[in-house]
Amino acid sequence: MKLNDKGLLVVLSGPSGVGKGTVRSALFKMEGHDLVYSVSMTTRGPRVGEIHGKEYYFVTREEFERNIRDGKMLEYAEFVGNYYGTPLAGVQEHLAAGREVVLEIEVQGAEQVRAKMPDAVLIFIAPPSLDALYKRLLIRGTESEEHIRQRIEKAKREINMAYEYDYIVVNDTVENAADKVLAIIRSEHATVKRTLKNYKKMLGVE
Ligand code: 5GP
Protein backbone atom coordinates (compact mmCIF):
# COMPACT_ATOMS: atom_id res chain seq x y z
CA MET A 1 0.00 0.00 0.00
CA LYS A 2 1.71 3.21 -1.15
CA LEU A 3 0.30 6.33 0.41
CA ASN A 4 2.84 8.81 -0.93
CA ASP A 5 3.24 9.01 -4.67
CA LYS A 6 5.74 11.85 -4.58
CA GLY A 7 9.23 11.38 -3.16
CA LEU A 8 10.44 13.10 -0.04
CA LEU A 9 13.08 15.84 -0.15
CA VAL A 10 15.33 15.49 2.90
CA VAL A 11 17.78 18.26 3.77
CA LEU A 12 20.70 17.53 6.08
CA SER A 13 22.23 20.79 7.14
CA GLY A 14 24.11 22.41 9.99
CA PRO A 15 27.48 24.03 10.68
CA SER A 16 30.48 23.03 8.62
CA GLY A 17 32.64 20.40 10.30
CA VAL A 18 29.71 19.03 12.27
CA GLY A 19 30.01 15.76 10.37
CA LYS A 20 27.07 16.09 7.95
CA GLY A 21 29.07 14.27 5.27
CA THR A 22 29.95 11.40 7.61
CA VAL A 23 26.37 11.09 8.81
CA ARG A 24 25.19 11.09 5.21
CA SER A 25 27.60 8.31 4.16
CA ALA A 26 26.67 6.23 7.23
CA LEU A 27 23.02 6.73 6.31
CA PHE A 28 23.63 5.55 2.76
CA LYS A 29 25.40 2.42 4.02
CA MET A 30 22.38 1.43 6.12
CA GLU A 31 19.99 -1.23 4.90
CA GLY A 32 16.32 -0.94 4.20
CA HIS A 33 15.96 2.33 2.35
CA ASP A 34 16.07 3.61 -1.18
CA LEU A 35 17.59 7.06 -0.79
CA VAL A 36 19.20 9.01 -3.61
CA TYR A 37 22.00 11.50 -2.90
CA SER A 38 21.90 14.75 -4.81
CA VAL A 39 25.47 15.51 -5.94
CA SER A 40 26.20 19.23 -5.53
CA MET A 41 28.06 21.57 -7.82
CA THR A 42 30.99 23.58 -6.46
CA THR A 43 33.75 25.93 -7.56
CA ARG A 44 36.18 24.69 -4.91
CA GLY A 45 38.95 22.40 -6.11
CA PRO A 46 38.73 18.65 -5.46
CA ARG A 47 40.39 17.33 -2.29
CA VAL A 48 42.61 14.25 -2.58
CA GLY A 49 40.45 11.29 -3.56
CA GLU A 50 37.39 13.33 -4.55
CA ILE A 51 35.91 12.39 -7.90
CA HIS A 52 33.97 14.63 -10.30
CA GLY A 53 30.35 13.47 -10.32
CA LYS A 54 30.66 11.52 -7.07
CA GLU A 55 31.47 13.95 -4.22
CA TYR A 56 30.76 17.06 -6.33
CA TYR A 57 30.55 18.37 -9.85
CA PHE A 58 33.65 20.56 -9.88
CA VAL A 59 33.10 23.55 -12.16
CA THR A 60 34.55 27.02 -12.82
CA ARG A 61 32.97 30.16 -11.35
CA GLU A 62 31.92 31.10 -14.85
CA GLU A 63 30.05 27.84 -15.34
CA PHE A 64 28.45 28.06 -11.90
CA GLU A 65 27.25 31.61 -12.52
CA ARG A 66 25.83 30.56 -15.88
CA ASN A 67 23.80 27.84 -14.12
CA ILE A 68 22.49 30.42 -11.63
CA ARG A 69 21.49 32.80 -14.42
CA ASP A 70 19.75 29.99 -16.34
CA GLY A 71 17.68 29.11 -13.25
CA LYS A 72 19.24 25.65 -13.04
CA MET A 73 19.99 25.70 -9.29
CA LEU A 74 17.48 24.74 -6.61
CA GLU A 75 19.65 26.63 -4.12
CA TYR A 76 23.19 27.89 -3.87
CA ALA A 77 25.44 29.75 -1.48
CA GLU A 78 28.87 31.25 -1.34
CA PHE A 79 30.76 29.57 1.46
CA VAL A 80 34.28 30.58 2.52
CA GLY A 81 35.06 31.95 -0.94
CA ASN A 82 33.46 29.25 -3.10
CA TYR A 83 30.07 28.58 -4.61
CA TYR A 84 28.14 25.44 -3.63
CA GLY A 85 24.73 24.54 -5.00
CA THR A 86 22.15 21.89 -5.83
CA PRO A 87 21.31 21.29 -9.50
CA LEU A 88 17.51 21.44 -9.80
CA ALA A 89 16.89 18.99 -12.65
CA GLY A 90 18.08 15.83 -10.87
CA VAL A 91 16.10 16.62 -7.73
CA GLN A 92 12.89 17.21 -9.67
CA GLU A 93 13.32 14.04 -11.69
CA HIS A 94 13.87 11.81 -8.64
CA LEU A 95 11.01 13.35 -6.68
CA ALA A 96 8.63 12.92 -9.60
CA ALA A 97 9.64 9.25 -9.76
CA GLY A 98 8.73 8.87 -6.07
CA ARG A 99 12.30 8.60 -4.77
CA GLU A 100 13.66 10.07 -1.54
CA VAL A 101 16.29 12.66 -2.31
CA VAL A 102 18.87 13.68 0.29
CA LEU A 103 20.69 17.03 0.14
CA GLU A 104 23.67 17.71 2.36
CA ILE A 105 24.11 21.48 2.31
CA GLU A 106 25.08 24.46 4.46
CA VAL A 107 22.48 26.58 6.21
CA GLN A 108 21.89 29.43 3.73
CA GLY A 109 21.03 26.82 1.12
CA ALA A 110 18.67 25.04 3.52
CA GLU A 111 16.81 28.34 4.02
CA GLN A 112 16.32 28.66 0.26
CA VAL A 113 14.99 25.09 0.03
CA ARG A 114 12.55 25.86 2.85
CA ALA A 115 11.23 28.83 0.87
CA LYS A 116 11.08 27.07 -2.52
CA MET A 117 9.97 23.60 -1.43
CA PRO A 118 7.98 23.89 1.79
CA ASP A 119 7.28 20.14 1.81
CA ALA A 120 10.96 19.34 2.35
CA VAL A 121 12.03 17.85 5.68
CA LEU A 122 14.80 19.95 7.23
CA ILE A 123 17.12 18.21 9.65
CA PHE A 124 19.69 20.25 11.57
CA ILE A 125 22.80 18.24 12.43
CA ALA A 126 24.31 19.79 15.56
CA PRO A 127 27.72 19.28 17.17
CA PRO A 128 27.81 17.77 20.68
CA SER A 129 30.05 20.75 21.60
CA LEU A 130 32.05 23.55 19.93
CA ASP A 131 35.21 21.88 21.16
CA ALA A 132 34.27 18.70 19.29
CA LEU A 133 33.67 20.80 16.18
CA TYR A 134 37.10 22.46 16.47
CA LYS A 135 38.82 19.08 16.88
CA ARG A 136 37.05 17.65 13.84
CA LEU A 137 38.10 20.55 11.64
CA LEU A 138 41.67 20.30 12.96
CA ILE A 139 41.89 16.53 12.41
CA ARG A 140 40.57 16.89 8.88
CA GLY A 141 43.71 18.94 8.24
CA THR A 142 42.48 20.41 4.99
CA GLU A 143 41.93 23.97 6.27
CA SER A 144 44.31 26.72 7.36
CA GLU A 145 44.09 28.06 10.96
CA GLU A 146 42.35 31.16 9.61
CA HIS A 147 39.76 29.10 7.74
CA ILE A 148 39.07 26.98 10.84
CA ARG A 149 38.61 30.15 12.92
CA GLN A 150 36.16 31.50 10.31
CA ARG A 151 34.26 28.21 10.26
CA ILE A 152 33.94 28.11 14.09
CA GLU A 153 32.66 31.70 14.21
CA LYS A 154 30.18 30.85 11.47
CA ALA A 155 29.10 27.69 13.34
CA LYS A 156 28.32 29.72 16.49
CA ARG A 157 25.98 31.97 14.52
CA GLU A 158 24.46 29.05 12.63
CA ILE A 159 23.38 27.09 15.73
CA ASN A 160 20.62 29.68 16.25
CA MET A 161 19.27 28.84 12.83
CA ALA A 162 18.10 25.43 14.07
CA TYR A 163 14.81 27.17 15.01
CA GLU A 164 13.86 27.17 11.33
CA TYR A 165 14.21 23.39 11.01
CA ASP A 166 11.85 20.47 11.56
CA TYR A 167 14.29 18.29 13.51
CA ILE A 168 17.58 18.58 15.35
CA VAL A 169 19.94 15.61 15.50
CA VAL A 170 23.02 15.86 17.71
CA ASN A 171 25.96 14.11 16.07
CA ASP A 172 27.23 12.43 19.25
CA THR A 173 28.17 9.29 17.36
CA VAL A 174 27.79 8.92 13.62
CA GLU A 175 25.78 5.68 13.95
CA ASN A 176 23.34 7.27 16.39
CA ALA A 177 22.88 10.31 14.21
CA ALA A 178 22.37 8.27 11.00
CA ASP A 179 19.90 6.02 12.85
CA LYS A 180 17.90 9.04 13.95
CA VAL A 181 17.86 10.51 10.45
CA LEU A 182 16.49 7.24 9.05
CA ALA A 183 13.86 7.09 11.80
CA ILE A 184 12.81 10.65 10.95
CA ILE A 185 12.49 9.81 7.25
CA ARG A 186 10.35 6.76 8.10
CA SER A 187 8.09 8.73 10.44
CA GLU A 188 7.69 11.53 7.91
CA HIS A 189 6.18 8.96 5.56
CA ALA A 190 3.41 8.33 8.03
CA THR A 191 2.51 11.94 8.73
CA VAL A 192 -1.12 12.84 8.14
CA LYS A 193 -0.24 15.76 5.87
CA ARG A 194 1.68 13.46 3.52
CA THR A 195 -0.70 10.51 3.47
CA LEU A 196 -4.30 11.34 4.28
CA LYS A 197 -5.25 12.66 0.87
CA ASN A 198 -4.17 9.47 -0.90
CA TYR A 199 -5.58 7.26 1.86
CA LYS A 200 -9.00 8.88 1.55
CA LYS A 201 -8.86 8.43 -2.20
CA MET A 202 -8.09 4.73 -1.64
CA LEU A 203 -11.06 4.37 0.70
CA GLY A 204 -13.24 6.31 -1.69
CA VAL A 205 -14.31 8.78 0.97
CA GLU A 206 -13.30 12.02 -0.75
P1 5GP B 1 33.21 21.26 1.87
O1 5GP B 1 34.07 22.26 1.17
O2 5GP B 1 33.69 20.96 3.27
O3 5GP B 1 32.96 20.01 1.04
O4 5GP B 1 31.76 21.91 2.02
C1 5GP B 1 31.61 23.14 2.65
C2 5GP B 1 30.16 23.32 3.03
O5 5GP B 1 29.34 23.42 1.85
C3 5GP B 1 29.60 22.16 3.85
O6 5GP B 1 28.87 22.70 4.93
C4 5GP B 1 28.68 21.46 2.85
O7 5GP B 1 27.59 20.81 3.51
C5 5GP B 1 28.20 22.64 2.04
N1 5GP B 1 27.62 22.24 0.75
C6 5GP B 1 27.94 21.17 -0.02
N2 5GP B 1 27.17 21.13 -1.11
C7 5GP B 1 26.32 22.17 -1.02
C8 5GP B 1 25.24 22.66 -1.85
O8 5GP B 1 24.88 22.10 -2.87
N3 5GP B 1 24.61 23.78 -1.43
C9 5GP B 1 24.94 24.43 -0.29
N4 5GP B 1 24.22 25.50 0.04
N5 5GP B 1 25.92 24.01 0.50
C10 5GP B 1 26.61 22.89 0.16
mmCIF file of all heavy atoms in Angstrom, residues 87-121:
data_model
loop_
_atom_site.group_PDB
_atom_site.id
_atom_site.type_symbol
_atom_site.label_atom_id
_atom_site.label_comp_id
_atom_site.label_asym_id
_atom_site.label_seq_id
_atom_site.Cartn_x
_atom_site.Cartn_y
_atom_site.Cartn_z
ATOM 1 N N PRO A 87 21.956 21.243 -8.187
ATOM 2 C CA PRO A 87 21.306 21.293 -9.498
ATOM 3 C C PRO A 87 19.839 20.845 -9.392
ATOM 4 O O PRO A 87 19.537 19.816 -8.782
ATOM 5 C CB PRO A 87 22.122 20.301 -10.337
ATOM 6 C CG PRO A 87 23.406 20.114 -9.598
ATOM 7 C CD PRO A 87 23.082 20.298 -8.151
ATOM 8 N N LEU A 88 18.958 21.650 -9.962
ATOM 9 C CA LEU A 88 17.511 21.439 -9.801
ATOM 10 C C LEU A 88 16.989 20.214 -10.553
ATOM 11 O O LEU A 88 16.160 19.457 -10.021
ATOM 12 C CB LEU A 88 16.785 22.708 -10.290
ATOM 13 C CG LEU A 88 15.265 22.739 -10.238
ATOM 14 C CD1 LEU A 88 14.760 22.577 -8.812
ATOM 15 C CD2 LEU A 88 14.738 24.055 -10.821
ATOM 16 N N ALA A 89 17.482 20.005 -11.774
ATOM 17 C CA ALA A 89 16.886 18.991 -12.653
ATOM 18 C C ALA A 89 16.856 17.595 -12.012
ATOM 19 O O ALA A 89 15.809 16.933 -12.013
ATOM 20 C CB ALA A 89 17.630 18.960 -13.980
ATOM 21 N N GLY A 90 17.993 17.168 -11.460
ATOM 22 C CA GLY A 90 18.081 15.826 -10.869
ATOM 23 C C GLY A 90 17.082 15.663 -9.737
ATOM 24 O O GLY A 90 16.405 14.635 -9.628
ATOM 25 N N VAL A 91 17.002 16.681 -8.883
ATOM 26 C CA VAL A 91 16.101 16.616 -7.729
ATOM 27 C C VAL A 91 14.656 16.448 -8.206
ATOM 28 O O VAL A 91 13.925 15.575 -7.731
ATOM 29 C CB VAL A 91 16.237 17.894 -6.860
ATOM 30 C CG1 VAL A 91 15.153 17.965 -5.802
ATOM 31 C CG2 VAL A 91 17.615 17.951 -6.210
ATOM 32 N N GLN A 92 14.262 17.271 -9.165
ATOM 33 C CA GLN A 92 12.885 17.214 -9.673
ATOM 34 C C GLN A 92 12.558 15.844 -10.265
ATOM 35 O O GLN A 92 11.496 15.278 -10.011
ATOM 36 C CB GLN A 92 12.681 18.285 -10.745
ATOM 37 C CG GLN A 92 12.444 19.651 -10.152
ATOM 38 C CD GLN A 92 12.328 20.721 -11.211
ATOM 39 O OE1 GLN A 92 12.920 20.612 -12.285
ATOM 40 N NE2 GLN A 92 11.582 21.772 -10.914
ATOM 41 N N GLU A 93 13.511 15.342 -11.031
ATOM 42 C CA GLU A 93 13.323 14.036 -11.686
ATOM 43 C C GLU A 93 13.093 12.924 -10.661
ATOM 44 O O GLU A 93 12.147 12.159 -10.768
ATOM 45 C CB GLU A 93 14.618 13.730 -12.435
ATOM 46 C CG GLU A 93 14.459 13.131 -13.807
ATOM 47 C CD GLU A 93 15.821 13.086 -14.456
ATOM 48 O OE1 GLU A 93 16.518 12.070 -14.253
ATOM 49 O OE2 GLU A 93 16.207 14.087 -15.115
ATOM 50 N N HIS A 94 13.974 12.879 -9.643
ATOM 51 C CA HIS A 94 13.867 11.814 -8.640
ATOM 52 C C HIS A 94 12.579 11.944 -7.833
ATOM 53 O O HIS A 94 11.921 10.946 -7.551
ATOM 54 C CB HIS A 94 15.067 11.842 -7.694
ATOM 55 C CG HIS A 94 16.338 11.381 -8.339
ATOM 56 N ND1 HIS A 94 16.437 10.191 -9.012
ATOM 57 C CD2 HIS A 94 17.553 11.957 -8.427
ATOM 58 C CE1 HIS A 94 17.661 10.052 -9.488
ATOM 59 N NE2 HIS A 94 18.356 11.113 -9.152
ATOM 60 N N LEU A 95 12.226 13.168 -7.471
ATOM 61 C CA LEU A 95 11.007 13.355 -6.677
ATOM 62 C C LEU A 95 9.787 12.922 -7.474
ATOM 63 O O LEU A 95 8.886 12.255 -6.946
ATOM 64 C CB LEU A 95 10.849 14.818 -6.235
ATOM 65 C CG LEU A 95 11.833 15.322 -5.178
ATOM 66 C CD1 LEU A 95 11.556 16.783 -4.852
ATOM 67 C CD2 LEU A 95 11.769 14.476 -3.908
ATOM 68 N N ALA A 96 9.768 13.276 -8.748
ATOM 69 C CA ALA A 96 8.628 12.916 -9.596
ATOM 70 C C ALA A 96 8.503 11.395 -9.716
ATOM 71 O O ALA A 96 7.396 10.866 -9.836
ATOM 72 C CB ALA A 96 8.781 13.554 -10.965
ATOM 73 N N ALA A 97 9.660 10.710 -9.656
ATOM 74 C CA ALA A 97 9.638 9.247 -9.762
ATOM 75 C C ALA A 97 9.360 8.592 -8.405
ATOM 76 O O ALA A 97 9.416 7.371 -8.270
ATOM 77 C CB ALA A 97 10.961 8.757 -10.325
ATOM 78 N N GLY A 98 9.085 9.408 -7.387
ATOM 79 C CA GLY A 98 8.725 8.873 -6.074
ATOM 80 C C GLY A 98 9.911 8.484 -5.212
ATOM 81 O O GLY A 98 9.756 7.769 -4.226
ATOM 82 N N ARG A 99 11.114 8.964 -5.582
ATOM 83 C CA ARG A 99 12.296 8.599 -4.773
ATOM 84 C C ARG A 99 12.566 9.626 -3.681
ATOM 85 O O ARG A 99 12.219 10.784 -3.822
ATOM 86 C CB ARG A 99 13.536 8.495 -5.664
ATOM 87 C CG ARG A 99 13.437 7.386 -6.655
ATOM 88 C CD ARG A 99 14.761 7.162 -7.360
ATOM 89 N NE ARG A 99 14.497 6.426 -8.576
ATOM 90 C CZ ARG A 99 14.466 6.979 -9.793
ATOM 91 N NH1 ARG A 99 14.751 8.247 -9.957
ATOM 92 N NH2 ARG A 99 14.167 6.251 -10.842
ATOM 93 N N GLU A 100 13.253 9.158 -2.621
ATOM 94 C CA GLU A 100 13.660 10.069 -1.542
ATOM 95 C C GLU A 100 14.992 10.688 -1.931
ATOM 96 O O GLU A 100 15.938 9.959 -2.198
ATOM 97 C CB GLU A 100 13.899 9.334 -0.220
ATOM 98 C CG GLU A 100 13.093 8.111 0.010
ATOM 99 C CD GLU A 100 11.667 8.436 0.260
ATOM 100 O OE1 GLU A 100 11.253 9.563 -0.072
ATOM 101 O OE2 GLU A 100 10.958 7.586 0.777
ATOM 102 N N VAL A 101 15.054 11.997 -1.926
ATOM 103 C CA VAL A 101 16.293 12.660 -2.309
ATOM 104 C C VAL A 101 16.905 13.339 -1.086
ATOM 105 O O VAL A 101 16.221 14.076 -0.372
ATOM 106 C CB VAL A 101 16.037 13.718 -3.405
ATOM 107 C CG1 VAL A 101 17.342 14.345 -3.863
ATOM 108 C CG2 VAL A 101 15.312 13.087 -4.583
ATOM 109 N N VAL A 102 18.188 13.085 -0.854
ATOM 110 C CA VAL A 102 18.871 13.679 0.294
ATOM 111 C C VAL A 102 19.846 14.751 -0.183
ATOM 112 O O VAL A 102 20.682 14.506 -1.046
ATOM 113 C CB VAL A 102 19.639 12.595 1.095
ATOM 114 C CG1 VAL A 102 20.417 13.222 2.243
ATOM 115 C CG2 VAL A 102 18.680 11.535 1.613
ATOM 116 N N LEU A 103 19.723 15.956 0.385
ATOM 117 C CA LEU A 103 20.688 17.027 0.136
ATOM 118 C C LEU A 103 21.528 17.175 1.390
ATOM 119 O O LEU A 103 20.995 17.097 2.492
ATOM 120 C CB LEU A 103 20.004 18.377 -0.099
ATOM 121 C CG LEU A 103 18.889 18.517 -1.120
ATOM 122 C CD1 LEU A 103 18.522 19.993 -1.231
ATOM 123 C CD2 LEU A 103 19.293 17.971 -2.450
ATOM 124 N N GLU A 104 22.827 17.408 1.196
ATOM 125 C CA GLU A 104 23.666 17.712 2.357
ATOM 126 C C GLU A 104 24.281 19.072 2.059
ATOM 127 O O GLU A 104 25.170 19.195 1.209
ATOM 128 C CB GLU A 104 24.724 16.614 2.505
ATOM 129 C CG GLU A 104 25.646 16.842 3.678
ATOM 130 C CD GLU A 104 27.077 16.713 3.248
ATOM 131 O OE1 GLU A 104 27.449 15.688 2.645
ATOM 132 O OE2 GLU A 104 27.839 17.667 3.511
ATOM 133 N N ILE A 105 23.758 20.105 2.701
ATOM 134 C CA ILE A 105 24.107 21.475 2.314
ATOM 135 C C ILE A 105 24.283 22.372 3.537
ATOM 136 O O ILE A 105 23.847 22.022 4.634
ATOM 137 C CB ILE A 105 23.017 22.075 1.379
ATOM 138 C CG1 ILE A 105 21.666 22.153 2.084
ATOM 139 C CG2 ILE A 105 22.894 21.258 0.101
ATOM 140 C CD1 ILE A 105 20.557 22.743 1.214
ATOM 141 N N GLU A 106 24.920 23.538 3.331
ATOM 142 C CA GLU A 106 25.078 24.457 4.459
ATOM 143 C C GLU A 106 23.768 25.240 4.676
ATOM 144 O O GLU A 106 22.810 25.102 3.915
ATOM 145 C CB GLU A 106 26.337 25.323 4.312
ATOM 146 C CG GLU A 106 26.459 26.120 3.048
ATOM 147 C CD GLU A 106 25.446 27.208 3.005
ATOM 148 O OE1 GLU A 106 25.540 28.146 3.814
ATOM 149 O OE2 GLU A 106 24.531 27.117 2.144
ATOM 150 N N VAL A 107 23.753 26.048 5.729
ATOM 151 C CA VAL A 107 22.480 26.578 6.213
ATOM 152 C C VAL A 107 21.783 27.627 5.325
ATOM 153 O O VAL A 107 20.550 27.672 5.300
ATOM 154 C CB VAL A 107 22.635 27.145 7.652
ATOM 155 C CG1 VAL A 107 22.859 26.014 8.646
ATOM 156 C CG2 VAL A 107 23.748 28.148 7.739
ATOM 157 N N GLN A 108 22.572 28.447 4.592
ATOM 158 C CA GLN A 108 21.890 29.429 3.726
ATOM 159 C C GLN A 108 21.101 28.710 2.638
ATOM 160 O O GLN A 108 19.999 29.118 2.266
ATOM 161 C CB GLN A 108 22.894 30.338 3.028
ATOM 162 C CG GLN A 108 23.756 31.171 3.935
ATOM 163 C CD GLN A 108 24.906 31.763 3.124
ATOM 164 O OE1 GLN A 108 24.697 32.527 2.192
ATOM 165 N NE2 GLN A 108 26.121 31.373 3.469
ATOM 166 N N GLY A 109 21.688 27.620 2.143
ATOM 167 C CA GLY A 109 21.031 26.821 1.115
ATOM 168 C C GLY A 109 19.754 26.185 1.661
ATOM 169 O O GLY A 109 18.723 26.140 0.980
ATOM 170 N N ALA A 110 19.833 25.693 2.907
ATOM 171 C CA ALA A 110 18.668 25.044 3.523
ATOM 172 C C ALA A 110 17.501 26.032 3.615
ATOM 173 O O ALA A 110 16.348 25.679 3.373
ATOM 174 C CB ALA A 110 19.044 24.519 4.903
ATOM 175 N N GLU A 111 17.840 27.287 3.936
ATOM 176 C CA GLU A 111 16.809 28.336 4.019
ATOM 177 C C GLU A 111 16.103 28.525 2.671
ATOM 178 O O GLU A 111 14.891 28.693 2.609
ATOM 179 C CB GLU A 111 17.491 29.651 4.364
ATOM 180 C CG GLU A 111 17.059 30.259 5.672
ATOM 181 C CD GLU A 111 17.856 31.521 5.938
ATOM 182 O OE1 GLU A 111 17.422 32.595 5.512
ATOM 183 O OE2 GLU A 111 18.924 31.406 6.564
ATOM 184 N N GLN A 112 16.904 28.489 1.601
ATOM 185 C CA GLN A 112 16.320 28.656 0.262
ATOM 186 C C GLN A 112 15.411 27.482 -0.098
ATOM 187 O O GLN A 112 14.368 27.659 -0.716
ATOM 188 C CB GLN A 112 17.415 28.793 -0.794
ATOM 189 C CG GLN A 112 18.262 30.040 -0.635
ATOM 190 C CD GLN A 112 19.523 29.966 -1.498
ATOM 191 O OE1 GLN A 112 19.483 29.538 -2.643
ATOM 192 N NE2 GLN A 112 20.643 30.374 -0.940
ATOM 193 N N VAL A 113 15.822 26.265 0.315
ATOM 194 C CA VAL A 113 14.986 25.090 0.031
ATOM 195 C C VAL A 113 13.662 25.218 0.788
ATOM 196 O O VAL A 113 12.598 24.939 0.248
ATOM 197 C CB VAL A 113 15.708 23.771 0.415
ATOM 198 C CG1 VAL A 113 14.785 22.578 0.218
ATOM 199 C CG2 VAL A 113 16.973 23.595 -0.400
ATOM 200 N N ARG A 114 13.758 25.675 2.033
ATOM 201 C CA ARG A 114 12.552 25.858 2.851
ATOM 202 C C ARG A 114 11.554 26.780 2.125
ATOM 203 O O ARG A 114 10.360 26.509 2.070
ATOM 204 C CB ARG A 114 12.942 26.438 4.219
ATOM 205 C CG ARG A 114 11.828 26.925 5.067
ATOM 206 C CD ARG A 114 10.822 25.826 5.393
ATOM 207 N NE ARG A 114 11.087 25.160 6.644
ATOM 208 C CZ ARG A 114 10.864 23.855 6.847
ATOM 209 N NH1 ARG A 114 10.409 23.095 5.894
ATOM 210 N NH2 ARG A 114 11.091 23.321 8.009
ATOM 211 N N ALA A 115 12.093 27.857 1.541
ATOM 212 C CA ALA A 115 11.232 28.831 0.868
ATOM 213 C C ALA A 115 10.668 28.270 -0.443
ATOM 214 O O ALA A 115 9.498 28.475 -0.755
ATOM 215 C CB ALA A 115 12.015 30.110 0.606
ATOM 216 N N LYS A 116 11.506 27.539 -1.191
ATOM 217 C CA LYS A 116 11.076 27.068 -2.518
ATOM 218 C C LYS A 116 10.295 25.771 -2.466
ATOM 219 O O LYS A 116 9.455 25.503 -3.320
ATOM 220 C CB LYS A 116 12.306 26.841 -3.405
ATOM 221 C CG LYS A 116 12.860 28.103 -3.996
ATOM 222 C CD LYS A 116 13.779 27.735 -5.141
ATOM 223 C CE LYS A 116 14.595 28.905 -5.591
ATOM 224 N NZ LYS A 116 15.747 28.486 -6.399
ATOM 225 N N MET A 117 10.625 24.906 -1.519
ATOM 226 C CA MET A 117 9.968 23.599 -1.428
ATOM 227 C C MET A 117 9.519 23.372 0.008
ATOM 228 O O MET A 117 10.190 22.658 0.777
ATOM 229 C CB MET A 117 10.913 22.502 -1.889
ATOM 230 C CG MET A 117 11.261 22.611 -3.356
ATOM 231 S SD MET A 117 11.995 21.073 -3.912
ATOM 232 C CE MET A 117 11.840 21.222 -5.668
ATOM 233 N N PRO A 118 8.405 23.953 0.396
ATOM 234 C CA PRO A 118 7.975 23.893 1.792
ATOM 235 C C PRO A 118 7.691 22.480 2.302
ATOM 236 O O PRO A 118 7.663 22.254 3.511
ATOM 237 C CB PRO A 118 6.684 24.739 1.824
ATOM 238 C CG PRO A 118 6.454 25.237 0.449
ATOM 239 C CD PRO A 118 7.504 24.735 -0.468
ATOM 240 N N ASP A 119 7.526 21.526 1.404
ATOM 241 C CA ASP A 119 7.276 20.142 1.814
ATOM 242 C C ASP A 119 8.536 19.407 2.257
ATOM 243 O O ASP A 119 8.456 18.301 2.786
ATOM 244 C CB ASP A 119 6.699 19.347 0.629
ATOM 245 C CG ASP A 119 5.193 19.470 0.588
ATOM 246 O OD1 ASP A 119 4.644 20.121 1.501
ATOM 247 O OD2 ASP A 119 4.585 18.937 -0.363
ATOM 248 N N ALA A 120 9.698 20.010 2.007
ATOM 249 C CA ALA A 120 10.960 19.342 2.350
ATOM 250 C C ALA A 120 11.071 19.157 3.863
ATOM 251 O O ALA A 120 10.523 19.940 4.634
ATOM 252 C CB ALA A 120 12.130 20.184 1.845
ATOM 253 N N VAL A 121 11.782 18.099 4.257
ATOM 254 C CA VAL A 121 12.033 17.854 5.684
ATOM 255 C C VAL A 121 13.428 18.376 5.992
ATOM 256 O O VAL A 121 14.403 17.927 5.398
ATOM 257 C CB VAL A 121 12.006 16.340 5.999
ATOM 258 C CG1 VAL A 121 12.206 16.114 7.479
ATOM 259 C CG2 VAL A 121 10.718 15.727 5.518
#
